[in-house]
Amino acid sequence: MGMKCDNYSNSPNFCGSLDLWLQFKRHISRSKSPYITLSIQKRSCLSTQPHPDDELRGSTHEAQLTISNADNHSNALIPIHPLYRPPRRDVFANDQKRLYFQRFCEISAAQLTGCLESDLWSRVVLQASETAPCIRHAVTAIGTLNLKGWRDASLSPAGPPHSHQHQNSNLEKKRVQFAYHEYNSAIVGMRQANTGGQTDIRTKLLACLLFACFETYHGNRDVATAQVFAGIEAIDDYNHLRTSSDQWLPPIDEEIVRIFVVLEIQATTYQDRRSRALHLERLNRGKNAVENMPAEFRSLKEARLPMTRIVLRGIHLTMSQREVDHTVHPSIVDLWWITECPSSSLPPSTVSVPISTVDPIYALQCNILSEYKRWETAFAPLLKKARGPKGRSIFHAATLLRIHYLSGVLCLAATTPHPLYYQRCYTRELTEIVDLAHLLLEDTTHSLLGDAYSLDIGIVMPLTVVGYKHRHRALRRRIIETFGKVQRREGIWDVDVTGRVMAWVAEIEETGLDGNEEYVPEERVATIVRMETDLVRRKSTVAVRVREGGVGEMVEKETVIVW
C-alpha cells in the first residue's frame, strides 16, 4: 500500500510546479523549528475527493471501534517532551510521509486553528505525535488533505485523457489513496496499542479527535459522531478514576477538554440518542465548570471555554425536553426577554399569558440565561477593545465569540414548548448575528474564515439557529443566499446541504403566505422529523411534518438532496 514520493514528484502540477515542490522539500531539510505555523504562506493546489478505493474505505467504519474498546485502566500518562525539533527522520518510512507531516505543521495546523486563539493543533497534537505512532499517522493523513479547497475536486470534471484536468484527477486519486492509507495505519496502530495496554488518556482522546476530523472532512458524519461520543465517554471514565483513585492523576489538557465540548455540541445537535436522564446529569455537571467564571476576562482564550460550556448546557436542556409531555408544562415562558423588552413590542397574545416561575425546567432555563448574562458582562471590555482602533488583531475572534453568545441565547430561548413564546421576540439579536456573520465572511483580508474546512464552530451553526429556530423570513433568505455562495464545512455542518434543506423548508412554510408577514406564522411551522444520509450515493433524505397552509391535519413531506 505504500507509495514512493516519486509518484508525486513526477507531476508538474504538484504544489504549482516541480521547482516549487523541490524548494518546499529543501526548506523542510533546513528547518530547525517547523512548528511556527504562521510563518509560511504557500498556495496549495492539492484538493480532495472523498472516494477512496474499497480496500481503504473499509477502515473508515472500523475507526469507531478503536477507542470504545480501550482498556480503561491503562491511564498512566506518557511523559510529554516539548517539541523543539522535527521528529527524527527515521520515524518516517519515506520522504512522502515526512513531507505531508511537515505540511500539517506549517499549513494545516494554522488552518484548523482559525481565528480563535488555541495551541491544540500546533502544540498538543504535535507533542503527542512524537511518542505515539498512531497519532503521527493520523497527522500525516490530515496533512495530505487540502483544507482550503476541500470541494474543488468534486466540483471539477476529470477531462479527456492526457489533458491537464485528467492529470490533476489522477494525481488527486493517488493523493486521496495515500491519505486513507495513513488513516488506516493510524487505526491499526491505535488498536494494537490498546490491545497491549500502552495507550494513555491523551493518546486516546487525540486519536478520537483526529479520526473525527478526518471523517467530517469527508462527510462521514455518523462515524465522526461515534468517535466524539467515544471520546466523551473516555473523559468521563478518566475523571471518575481521578476522583476515586488514591493515586494522583494529572488533569486532561484544557485544550483537549475545550475541543471535546465543541464536538459534543456538534454531535448532540446532529444525532443524539442518549437518554433524558443523561442529558440532565451532564447539564448539572456543567454548572460546576462555569461557577468560577471571572468578573472580567483577560483574554479571548479565557473567555472561550466558559462560553462553549454554557452553550452545551443549553443544548443539554433542549435535548432533555424531547421526551417531555409539554401539556404538563403549558406556561414555560422566558421571563428574561419579557423583562428586557417593552410590553408594546410583545405579541398581543403574549401579554395575557399566565407565567409560572416554579417549573423546574423554567428554573434551569433562567439559570443558564443568568450565566449568559454573567459571561456577556465579563466579555464586554474585550469586545470594546476589539472594536476600538487598537483591536484589529482580535476583532474577528471577538466578533465570532459575540455571534456564539447571541446564537446560544436564541437557541436556549427556543427551548420553550411553543413558538409563540419566542419566535417574534428577538429581531434585533437575529439581525445582529446575520450582519456580523456577513461582516466576517466578506472581509477578504482575513483568510482563516471563508471557503474552507474547519472542525471548530464558526458561523454555520449560529446561522442555522437563526434560519431553523426563529424563521424570520427576510433573514432566512439572506442566509440561504449566503450558504449558496460559500463553500464551507464546519465539523458536521456543510453549508451546501444545510442551505438546501433550509430552502426546501422555507418553500413549504411560505407557499401562499402574505408578503407582509415578517415571521412564519406558528401554525405553518414545519418540523424536521427525519434526515438520512447515503454516503455511497451522496444524497440525503429529509422529511418534515407540517400543516398544509397552516390548517388541517399534520402531514409528512419528504425530499431527496444530492450533494
Side-chain angles (χ1 to χ4, degrees):
M1 297 297 294
M3 299 181 189
K4 294 182 179 180
C5 193
D6 294 338
N7 292 342
Y8 291 82
S9 61
N10 290 334
S11 171
N13 300 311
F14 182 77
C15 288
S17 68
L18 178 61
D19 291 338
L20 182 57
W21 183 85
L22 292 173
Q23 181 182 358
F24 186 25
K25 191 173 178 182
R26 284 195 295 271
H27 170 80
I28 295 170
S29 301
R30 295 194 301 266
S31 176
K32 296 181 180 179
S33 180
Y35 306 115
I36 303 174
T37 59
L38 298 178
S39 60
I40 293 182
Q41 300 291 333
K42 282 189 170 65
R43 175 182 180 272
S44 173
C45 297
L46 300 178
S47 55
T48 63
Q49 173 66 32
H51 293 291
D53 59 12
D54 293 338
E55 180 182 356
L56 293 175
R57 191 170 189 167
S59 64
T60 294
H61 303 285
E62 298 174 3
Q64 57 188 311
L65 304 177
T66 302
I67 303 302
S68 57
N69 295 331
D71 180 7
N72 292 330
H73 300 288
S74 57
N75 285 312
L77 293 182
I78 297 174
I80 299 175
H81 304 290
L83 281 178
Y84 297 111
R85 61 192 184 285
R88 303 185 315 275
R89 293 178 64 94
D90 58 7
V91 303
F92 299 102
N94 54 49
D95 284 345
Q96 185 183 23
K97 294 185 178 185
R98 186 167 60 88
L99 172 66
Y100 282 126
F101 181 91
Q102 190 79 13
R103 187 179 185 276
F104 178 94
C105 299
E106 298 181 344
I107 300 175
S108 306
Q111 292 173 345
L112 288 168
T113 300
C115 61
L116 291 171
E117 181 183 358
S118 171
D119 59 357
L120 171 68
W121 303 101
S122 59
R123 176 185 64 84
V124 180
V125 170
L126 294 181
Q127 284 179 340
S129 71
E130 188 174 30
T131 56
C134 62
I135 301 300
R136 189 161 56 248
H137 283 297
V139 166
T140 304
I142 294 174
T144 309
L145 308 177
N146 181 13
L147 304 181
K148 289 291 289 182
W150 63 276
R151 291 185 63 194
D152 290 350
S154 61
L155 295 175
S156 58
H162 309 298
S163 67
H164 180 76
Q165 294 90 340
H166 187 77
Q167 292 176 2
N168 282 344
S169 177
N170 289 337
L171 176 64
E172 176 64 24
K173 289 179 181 178
K174 292 180 180 180
R175 189 183 58 78
V176 171
Q177 287 175 357
F178 175 76
Y180 269 86
H181 176 262
E182 285 298 290
Y183 181 51
N184 180 68
S185 298
I187 294 172
V188 172
M190 189 65 196
R191 185 183 297 113
Q192 291 174 346
N194 283 338
T195 302
Q198 302 172 353
T199 310
D200 60 74
I201 184 63
R202 182 187 66 171
T203 303
K204 294 176 185 178
L205 295 178
L206 290 180
C208 284
L209 169 65
L210 293 166
F211 294 170
C213 179
F214 192 90
E215 296 291 359
T216 55
Y217 176 90
H218 291 101
N220 303 332
R221 294 180 290 183
D222 293 344
V223 179
T225 53
Q227 286 293 327
V228 172
F229 288 131
I232 293 167
E233 184 178 351
I235 291 175
D236 291 344
D237 290 343
Y238 181 77
N239 287 335
H240 176 72
L241 184 64
R242 288 188 68 216
T243 56
S244 60
S245 175
D246 295 333
Q247 178 185 3
W248 181 85
L249 295 172
I252 300 171
D253 192 295
E254 186 178 283
E255 289 287 353
I256 299 178
V257 172
R258 188 204 64 80
I259 193 62
F260 270 95
V261 173
V262 170
L263 292 174
E264 186 174 5
I265 291 172
Q266 296 186 35
T268 303
T269 54
Y270 168 68
Q271 187 180 72
D272 192 327
R273 299 183 178 91
R274 294 178 292 180
S275 67
R276 179 173 186 263
L278 188 144
H279 282 292
L280 289 174
E281 189 272 331
R282 293 191 67 78
L283 186 156
N284 292 324
R285 187 192 308 171
K287 180 181 179 180
N288 299 328
V290 298
E291 282 183 340
N292 297 325
M293 199 187 322
E296 179 178 332
F297 294 122
R298 294 166 296 178
S299 67
L300 294 174
K301 189 174 183 179
E302 185 181 33
R304 195 179 181 193
L305 182 57
M307 164 53 56
T308 53
R309 287 193 181 279
I310 297 171
V311 171
L312 182 58
R313 272 172 49 78
I315 289 175
H316 280 308
L317 178 61
T318 301
M319 300 301 290
S320 71
Q321 299 311 294
R322 291 178 301 175
E323 304 170 13
V324 173
D325 181 3
H326 288 299
T327 60
V328 182
H329 308 277
S331 305
I332 305 174
V333 181
D334 181 2
L335 274 179
W336 182 71
W337 61 259
I338 291 180
T339 57
E340 292 282 326
C341 300
S343 59
S344 59
S345 66
L346 300 177
S349 57
T350 308
V351 178
S352 60
V353 172
I355 298 172
S356 169
T357 59
V358 297
D359 187 275
I361 302 303
Y362 168 77
L364 283 171
Q365 190 181 35
C366 287
N367 180 268
I368 298 173
L369 285 167
S370 68
E371 293 170 359
Y372 273 118
K373 277 293 187 182
R374 285 177 53 206
W375 186 91
E376 183 187 29
T377 302
F379 184 64
L382 272 177
L383 184 62
K384 182 178 179 181
K385 176 183 176 182
R387 292 176 172 178
K390 297 182 180 180
R392 184 62 182 173
S393 61
I394 63 171
F395 173 78
H396 290 87
T399 301
L400 197 55
L401 286 180
R402 171 70 179 175
I403 292 173
H404 293 172
Y405 157 75
L406 291 170
S407 64
V409 170
L410 295 178
C411 187
L412 181 63
T415 303
T416 51
H418 196 283
L420 176 67
Y421 296 146
Y422 68 86
Q423 199 174 50
R424 300 172 182 269
C425 309
Y426 292 99
T427 304
R428 181 182 61 186
E429 289 82 3
L430 294 168
T431 303
E432 183 178 355
I433 289 175
V434 176
D435 288 344
L436 290 178
H438 280 86
L439 178 66
L440 294 183
L441 289 173
E442 292 167 3
D443 188 348
T444 57
T445 63
H446 191 74
S447 61
L448 296 180
L449 189 63
D451 291 353
Y453 165 84
S454 171
L455 188 63
D456 217 328
I457 297 174
I459 51 90
V460 178
M461 190 171 173
L463 291 179
T464 301
V465 170
V466 176
Y468 279 130
K469 295 286 188 181
H470 292 264
R471 293 172 168 85
H472 186 285
R473 297 175 66 193
L475 293 177
R476 183 163 66 177
R477 284 194 293 270
R478 286 182 63 188
I479 294 169
I480 293 170
E481 182 181 357
T482 299
F483 281 2
K485 295 178 180 178
V486 178
Q487 297 178 10
R488 184 167 179 81
R489 176 175 287 165
E490 294 172 356
I492 67 171
W493 300 109
D494 182 344
V495 294
D496 181 37
V497 176
T498 304
R500 286 198 276 170
V501 172
M502 193 182 296
W504 177 66
V505 172
E507 182 182 359
I508 292 174
E509 293 178 336
E510 299 184 28
T511 298
L513 191 60
D514 188 341
N516 294 325
E517 290 277 1
E518 185 179 16
Y519 288 83
V520 174
E522 289 74 20
E523 64 273 10
R524 284 177 167 263
V525 168
T527 304
I528 296 178
V529 295
R530 188 175 74 257
M531 185 168 180
E532 301 168 349
T533 301
D534 187 332
L535 290 174
V536 177
R537 296 180 176 84
R538 299 180 62 81
K539 67 178 184 179
S540 296
T541 303
V542 186
V544 299
R545 287 183 62 81
V546 63
R547 284 187 173 88
E548 289 275 13
V551 296
E553 296 294 325
M554 297 289 288
V555 297
E556 185 169 306
K557 294 192 171 186
E558 182 178 291
T559 189
V560 175
I561 295 175
V562 180
W563 41 273

